[in-house]
Amino acid sequence: MKKIAAAAMVITLLGALMAGCSSGDKNSGNAAEGASPEGTAGAAESTTYPLKTDEKLSYWGEINGNLVGVKASHDEIPFFQKWQEKTGVKLDFTAPPSGQVKEAFNVMLASGDLPDMLEYNFIGDFPGGPEKAISDGYIIKLNDLIDKYAPNLKKYLQENPDIDKMVKTDNGSYYVFPFIRGDEYLRVFQGPVIRKDWLDELGLPVPETIDEWTTTLRAFKEKKGAAAPFSVVSKPRFFNESGNGAFIGAFGVNRGFYQEDGAVKFGPAEAGFKDYLKLFHDWYAEGLIDKNIATADTKAVDGNIASGATGATVGNAGGGIGKWQPLVEANDPKAVLVAAPYPVLKKGDKPKFGQMNQAYASEGTVAVTTAAKDPALAVRMLDYGYSEEGHMFFNFGEEGVSYTMEDGYPKFTDLLMNNPDKLAPAQAISLYARSSYNGPFVQDKRYAEQFFALQTQRDAVEIWKNTDAAKYNLPNITPTPEESSEYATIMNDINTLVDEMTIKIILGSEPVDKFDDYVAKMKSLGLDRAIEIETAALQRYNSR
Amino acid sequence: MGNRQTLRRRLVRDFLLNKYLYLMMVPVIAYYLVFFYGPMYGALIAFKDYSPMKGILGSDWVGLKHFQDFFGSFYFLRVLKNTILISLYTLLFEFPAPILLALLINEVRRKKFKRVVQTITYMPYFISLVVICGIITDFTNADGLINRMFMFLGYDGQAMLQKPELFRPIYVLSEIWQRIGWESIIYIAALMSIDLEQYEAARIDGASRLKQMIYITLPGLLPTIMIMFILRMGNLLNVGFEKIILLYNPVTYETADVISSFVYRKGLLEFGWSYSSAVGLFNSVINLVLLITANTLSRRATQNSLW
């Protein structure tokens, strides 16, 4: 008996020790939050940069994919060096390995060892969304701090109530310093891309309907000898870009939830999805789609396009056309890639879906954690991005180095557009500014006008813009913290099922008729409950 | 009482006599305490709704909820079946491979040739798994190396990683390729310890090389094989998830998705720490049972065992 008692004692002590450690961390965080630090009183209205402080804040965030292989850490990137200089706050960066952001974030949270600031997508990649991140005690609600220490962001949100609505949670909590696409023009950047030179050679128009696409792809295969006439990236999910409605949209559905006539619907459970599967199944059987479609990653698709095995794909204006145009030209000087409109079934129809991001993009946003030693300082530092000076700096970098003012227009220098180290503009811009990806600031249209160096890229945005996506897409809604784990469990199983069904039917290992069984299975996995949760979330959003 | 007194006295005396030896044990004990027994405390979260901010003890108890969720999951049976099948196939085909290789290498007379063979066969073991999987993906593509060979023979090329029925063979074959050389080292070492006089005697009695292998080499290897087998049983359900994750895609989920890859998707990508650790605990219990069973059977049948 005595032994058991002793063992129990030891375990309890050990436990208490550990619990002590973790709660200790938390308390220190809260204490710092409560006591407003010295030197901030009276600074509520306007902040002058650089701030005068000796404190060093820690910052966790991914290095932009454009810079993988160019620079290894934040400290080597001029933008991040300058950012510290301009704000006067020293930052200690930690970067998760590229491509494993979610895993690294998860491990960091589980360890309980949080930095002062976190750059992460709290709507898309945090199960349960921002409100749960706050209620679980990872990040702090920023309302009071923004009122006191972030005049620039506050002003922007006051002037743009529609964006203000997106940036808040259902409960009205502010939780991050948001990334905002400052112009309609910046919200569309992806769509179908096709080889114009081949079309001209074959005497075909740019395809608009699904039937025209079939004809075109057939011609590519038969007359141009394309081994994979249509090829798209399928990692991590089959035909990633279909998530935005590419090709699926022609059948009146998309791959996720959308709203129609006031109701929330799940695309893969709707009849239109079956027609989409049938089309792709037929295309695959006929050899119009890449044979390795299930395993095709970015590298494989780039290779196919460059070698002329592929004549059509779906991609971005900047990272797609901008990247592929030089590649195809290298093989065939006449090659031209242009945008094709999102396909429809009947000529003249307007596509129901297409890529159209929200003005408030949920990625690239920065939260302040509960562990922050001096949350007010972090907030003042982050507010810089929304000031006039910060706006120029985030979008264009430093005057005289990365841009020059010409008649009031910030023009990128050759350092960026014709980089002496042979870096692509997307890479070079990422070194000096954050406009080509994201971050805590408002994106400026003037960056894109220059970044899209080719006329075909600028036209692309206009062509892809023509969809009804804005009407049907759901805004950034989230389930409540209580519902979130239930929702995550349901959707994890359903998404696995959808991925499996999609690819199996397309590859022909299951007949198209099996679709109805799959829908029944989705129902048995709780699809109706998921739709119910989404509907409630949408209602809460609408009544914000 | 008297007995214990003497025991204690004996311990104290022994300790005083060998105090430096005991001191040397401290790091080892500390190592096990810190890295093996300490983390066991974390297994508690399998029975709780763990939230890092509340700490392990501060989180709420939920009893067996996570276990029930796992057993009741839509994919439970499939995942379990795949795990067991992939493990069994690996055991069946990959486990004997290094033994065979060791026996073959043992028969080689030329020392130089022997070394070259050994070096070449254990090379793949040192290549990073990510690279290995890249190579596998490239080779099995619709126009990859393997398919080109088939096409040369008049078959149609097909993307092999898109065929659910081919996933397990690809996994097991590549596993053999990767590990055969490395794992044969221990068997080769065991072969070295077989008394050469036995071979001489056998030769004098007129035994052929094959007979020598069957009656001398194999029995000499048996203890090592048994120990390796028992150790392997203890890991039966731990199919390496990195390789699965790098190779699978939704078409092959039905044959490729194993417990660990399922847990990875669920736990690490969706923050289901408690759920994953419940599944991990379940996995460990099964492994423990298998290990004990294998050990007992082996002790009864061959007198070789771990304990």
Side-chain angles (χ1 to χ4, degrees):
Chain A
M1 249 350 249
K2 231 180 182 175
K3 261 193 226 156
I4 296 174
M9 271 295 283
V10 170
I11 292 173
T12 336
L13 279 176
L14 265 174
L17 210 71
M18 298 222 173
C21 288
S22 53
S23 63
D25 281 351
K26 200 169 136 200
N27 285 341
S28 65
N30 286 342
E33 190 192 335
S36 48
E38 68 292 342
T40 49
E45 274 313 306
S46 69
T47 313
T48 42
Y49 296 99
L51 298 163
K52 290 194 175 33
T53 177
D54 298 328
E55 271 184 89
K56 195 168 187 181
L57 300 179
S58 51
Y59 188 101
W60 187 97
E62 192 192 8
I63 289 181
N64 180 243
N66 287 335
L67 293 177
V68 170
V70 182
K71 296 284 179 192
S73 72
H74 284 90
D75 297 317
E76 293 170 28
I77 299 169
F79 173 84
F80 291 100
Q81 296 165 352
K82 277 279 159 207
W83 190 25
Q84 299 176 51
E85 252 174 59
K86 298 213 175 236
T87 57
V89 180
K90 288 230 164 24
L91 297 175
D92 193 5
F93 291 101
T94 313
S98 148
Q100 295 171 28
V101 181
K102 233 173 154 178
E103 290 93 324
F105 182 79
N106 192 331
V107 169
M108 178 193 54
L109 285 197
S111 77
D113 192 9
L114 300 176
D116 293 322
M117 284 172 275
L118 284 174
E119 183 179 321
Y120 194 68
N121 181 346
F122 284 92
I123 289 192
D125 294 336
F126 191 94
E131 200 61 63
K132 186 156 169 64
I134 295 175
S135 69
D136 281 358
Y138 300 116
I139 61 176
I140 57 178
K141 187 169 159 175
L142 295 171
N143 296 37
D144 293 346
L145 289 162
I146 288 178
D147 282 345
K148 275 191 215 146
Y149 305 114
N152 296 314
L153 176 63
K154 196 172 163 60
K155 184 162 157 261
Y156 183 86
L157 293 177
Q158 272 168 350
E159 284 165 6
N160 297 278
D162 49 326
I163 289 172
D164 184 54
K165 184 175 163 183
M166 298 179 199
V167 173
K168 283 190 289 207
T169 67
D170 294 331
N171 297 344
S173 319
Y174 294 103
Y175 55 97
V176 282
F177 279 76
F179 171 57
I180 294 158
R181 302 179 197 281
D183 194 285
E184 188 105 5
Y185 185 80
L186 297 162
R187 293 169 51 193
V188 175
F189 45 77
Q190 184 186 80
V193 175
I194 197 163
R195 281 283 292 266
K196 182 78 168 73
D197 54 317
W198 286 8
L199 290 175
D200 292 346
E201 204 183 314
L202 298 165
L204 292 164
V206 173
E208 285 172 28
T209 64
I210 292 290
D211 289 340
E212 283 176 4
W213 269 95
T214 311
T215 317
T216 307
L217 293 178
R218 217 172 262 155
F220 281 3
K221 180 182 186 240
E222 283 157 12
K223 307 218 174 91
K224 295 302 300 176
F230 181 79
S231 179
V232 282
V233 176
S234 287
K235 291 264 159 179
R237 291 183 80 179
F238 172 78
F239 193 176
N240 280 317
E241 278 74 18
S242 67
N244 283 321
F247 289 86
I248 300 189
F251 301 97
V253 294
N254 72 1
R255 197 176 57 183
F257 291 95
Y258 62 92
Q259 55 180 333
E260 188 169 27
D261 307 326
V264 174
K265 292 185 173 169
F266 185 61
E270 299 289 320
F273 205 80
K274 186 175 179 180
D275 300 333
Y276 155 75
L277 292 177
K278 171 131 188 16
L279 172 76
F280 270 67
H281 170 262
D282 293 349
W283 279 5
Y284 182 80
E286 214 186 310
L288 302 183
I289 305 182
D290 186 0
K291 277 202 218 69
N292 300 312
I293 190 76
T295 54
D297 56 9
T298 319
K299 201 184 70 191
V301 173
D302 288 355
N304 278 342
I305 293 172
S307 68
T310 290
T313 182
V314 176
N316 291 359
I321 298 181
K323 173 171 71 176
W324 296 320
Q325 184 61 42
L327 293 178
V328 289
E329 264 176 34
N331 258 347
D332 180 355
K334 293 192 309 296
V336 183
L337 288 169
V338 296
Y342 277 90
V344 287
L345 287 179
K346 274 210 309 285
K347 207 158 193 138
D349 279 359
K350 196 170 182 190
K352 204 162 150 186
F353 290 99
Q355 183 269 329
M356 158 84 68
N357 274 31
Q358 305 286 341
Y360 164 53
S362 50
E363 68 267 21
T365 62
V366 184
V368 178
T369 70
T370 50
K373 298 175 287 291
D374 187 347
L377 180 68
V379 166
R380 292 206 296 157
M381 189 255 162
L382 290 169
D383 192 45
Y384 176 73
Y386 307 87
S387 69
E388 247 169 73
E389 189 195 326
H391 179 82
M392 293 308 283
F393 172 65
F394 267 82
N395 279 292
F396 306 103
E398 209 184 348
E399 189 166 3
V401 179
S402 54
Y403 75 96
T404 49
M405 270 303 194
E406 284 176 17
D407 302 328
Y409 191 93
K411 201 161 177 339
F412 284 133
T413 59
D414 272 355
L415 180 64
L416 268 55
M417 302 312 288
N418 289 306
N419 187 272
D421 295 330
K422 298 267 174 293
L423 294 176
Q427 293 175 313
I429 293 176
S430 307
L431 277 182
Y432 294 93
R434 294 195 66 166
S435 47
S436 66
Y437 56 114
N438 54 38
F441 70 105
V442 181
Q443 202 180 22
D444 193 315
K445 183 185 176 185
R446 291 173 293 181
Y447 120 81
E449 291 168 349
Q450 301 174 68
F451 178 52
F452 295 161
L454 306 165
Q455 188 58 41
T456 52
Q457 291 175 301
R458 288 190 286 267
D459 294 344
V461 176
E462 297 299 326
I463 293 170
W464 294 332
K465 211 166 72 179
N466 183 32
T467 66
D468 275 334
K471 193 169 132 201
Y472 295 104
N473 279 350
L474 286 175
N476 287 325
I477 59 175
T478 51
T480 64
E482 293 76 43
E483 290 161 346
S484 68
S485 77
E486 185 190 1
Y487 178 78
T489 307
I490 296 174
M491 285 320 292
N492 179 49
D493 287 350
I494 288 183
N495 282 330
T496 306
L497 192 70
V498 169
D499 288 349
E500 224 174 305
M501 157 183 97
T502 307
I503 190 85
K504 277 186 165 173
I505 292 180
I506 289 172
L507 297 189
S509 53
E510 296 261 23
V512 181
D513 292 332
K514 255 307 209 28
F515 174 81
D516 303 315
D517 292 355
Y518 277 110
V519 174
K521 251 185 232 166
M522 283 181 223
K523 292 245 155 75
S524 75
L525 287 174
L527 178 63
D528 293 334
R529 174 69 185 136
I531 290 180
E532 207 175 290
I533 294 175
E534 289 283 281
T535 310
L538 179 64
Q539 278 162 3
R540 285 195 303 271
Y541 179 88
N542 288 336
S543 58
R544 272 183 201 174
Chain B
M1 219 44 195
N3 228 342
R4 255 173 91 181
Q5 278 288 351
T6 50
L7 178 70
R8 186 183 289 166
R9 203 177 298 152
R10 263 160 53 200
L11 272 178
V12 169
R13 205 181 57 189
D14 189 55
F15 182 77
L16 288 175
L17 268 175
N18 302 314
K19 55 180 174 253
Y20 293 107
L21 282 180
Y22 278 102
L23 197 67
M24 282 165 71
M25 267 174 67
V26 170
V28 179
I29 293 172
Y31 174 81
Y32 275 94
L33 279 180
V34 171
F35 291 105
F36 291 88
Y37 289 93
M40 278 190 190
Y41 158 74
L44 267 187
I45 69 170
F47 305 96
K48 295 186 152 214
D49 256 336
Y50 176 61
S51 152
M53 287 297 129
K54 289 186 189 158
I56 293 178
L57 286 182
S59 302
D60 307 324
W61 288 100
V62 292
L64 294 176
K65 174 172 160 261
H66 299 296
F67 291 92
Q68 281 160 357
D69 279 356
F70 178 53
F71 298 140
S73 157
F74 180 63
Y75 294 109
F76 171 66
L77 280 181
R78 179 169 93 177
V79 166
L80 188 70
K81 179 180 145 213
N82 285 339
T83 314
I84 292 175
L85 277 183
I86 289 182
S87 302
L88 280 183
Y89 288 150
T90 322
L91 197 68
L92 213 60
F93 298 104
E94 193 265 323
F95 182 72
I99 303 175
L100 279 176
L101 182 72
L103 290 175
L104 290 177
I105 287 180
N106 194 44
E107 297 299 314
V108 175
R109 289 283 169 79
R110 280 178 187 266
K111 277 226 163 118
K112 244 193 187 151
F113 181 67
K114 212 169 173 170
R115 283 211 197 103
V116 170
V117 170
Q118 263 191 285
T119 314
I120 291 175
T121 52
Y122 70 59
M123 212 73 104
Y125 185 82
F126 293 100
I127 305 176
S128 144
L129 194 62
V130 179
V131 177
I132 295 253
C133 290
I135 294 175
I136 296 172
T137 314
D138 273 355
F139 278 16
T140 55
N141 255 348
D143 45 7
L145 184 76
I146 298 175
N147 273 306
R148 282 187 192 219
M149 293 196 311
F150 279 126
M151 281 188 246
F152 188 71
L153 297 172
Y155 294 98
D156 268 349
Q158 47 174 325
M160 295 176 157
L161 283 174
Q162 285 176 196
K163 295 269 166 189
E165 64 274 19
L166 287 182
F167 186 85
R168 289 177 195 138
I170 290 174
Y171 182 89
V172 173
L173 280 174
S174 60
E175 197 77 349
I176 294 178
W177 169 63
Q178 227 183 315
R179 312 171 70 116
I180 188 167
W182 181 254
E183 285 178 358
S184 68
I185 292 176
I186 191 161
Y187 298 113
I188 291 172
L191 285 173
M192 299 289 181
S193 65
I194 297 176
D195 195 351
L196 287 177
E197 278 176 27
Q198 287 187 31
Y199 289 102
E200 233 165 84
R203 261 201 301 278
I204 291 164
D205 288 347
S208 68
R209 284 189 75 101
L210 190 69
K211 288 253 153 108
Q212 288 174 33
M213 190 193 270
I214 293 172
Y215 292 105
I216 303 171
T217 319
L218 266 184
L221 261 188
L222 199 62
T224 318
I225 295 177
M226 278 327 289
I227 298 290
M228 295 303 282
F229 180 76
I230 297 168
L231 286 175
R232 184 58 85 84
M233 286 306 281
N235 280 318
L236 192 69
L237 289 189
N238 293 349
V239 178
F241 81 102
E242 300 97 334
K243 194 163 156 191
I244 302 257
I245 285 170
L246 287 166
L247 288 180
Y248 76 176
N249 59 60
V251 209
T252 48
Y253 275 174
E254 66 170 285
T255 53
D257 202 9
V258 295
I259 292 181
S260 47
S261 56
F262 179 73
V263 167
Y264 167 82
R265 288 206 306 276
K266 200 99 182 176
L268 211 53
L269 295 181
E270 291 183 25
F271 297 30
W273 296 294
S274 291
Y275 186 87
S276 322
S277 75
V279 179
L281 206 59
F282 163 75
N283 219 354
S284 305
V285 170
I286 302 276
N287 279 335
L288 183 69
V289 171
L290 286 173
L291 176 71
I292 293 173
T293 318
N295 193 56
T296 317
L297 288 180
S298 162
R299 193 173 54 220
R300 295 237 175 101
T302 67
Q303 278 78 47
N304 285 305
S305 64
L306 278 177
W307 67 84

